[in-house]
Amino acid sequence: MRKPETMTMQAALAAACLMAMGLAHAQMPQTSTDQNVPAATARQQAAEIARGDPARWSQEDTTAEARLRTLRKEMGAALQEARGACRALPAPERSACNKEAQANYQKDMAGARAQAAAGG
């Protein structure tokens, strides 16, 4: 997995992306909140938090393929959260919000392999 510093940097980058989407849509929350997470995902996260941090979280991803898997998982989670935020918008704005979220995801995924190969 990743070093804690790398995980913090990735979390900050994800937060910055979500904030940028919020600025584009003034009514969209500018920070990540649990209200944007589907109920089933929130329950799973709560159970994981109750168990504490798994040891794998403090282990760095040692291969490009492992880093790519982690990036894909993080990007998928960010897309899911962005779509949750879009669902909170008025109906006329949802389509544009979802399109922007998908476009951001595609852009991030397009650079994921190079980012993983570069080591983070």
Side-chain angles (χ1 to χ4, degrees), residues 15-65:
C17 290
L18 288 173
M19 285 182 64
M21 285 181 59
L23 292 174
H25 296 283
Q27 294 180 354
M28 187 184 302
Q30 292 193 14
T31 58
S32 174
T33 64
D34 285 343
Q35 72 186 22
N36 299 331
V37 178
T41 303
R43 284 190 300 274
Q44 180 181 358
Q45 289 172 345
E48 289 174 353
I49 289 168
R51 288 191 299 266
D53 291 350
R56 70 180 186 277
W57 286 6
S58 59
Q59 297 171 351
E60 183 176 6
D61 289 333
T62 56
T63 67
E65 227 23 67

Side-chain angles (χ1 to χ4, degrees), residues 69-86:
R69 268 193 313 277
T70 300
L71 281 172
R72 286 180 174 159
K73 184 176 180 180
E74 290 171 352
M75 290 173 189
L79 175 61
Q80 184 179 26
E81 192 167 327
R83 286 180 174 164
C86 292

Side-chain angles (χ1 to χ4, degrees), residues 88-102:
L89 293 175
E93 298 175 24
R94 280 186 215 136
S95 179
C97 180
N98 279 315
K99 286 180 183 177
E100 183 177 350
Q102 187 66 36

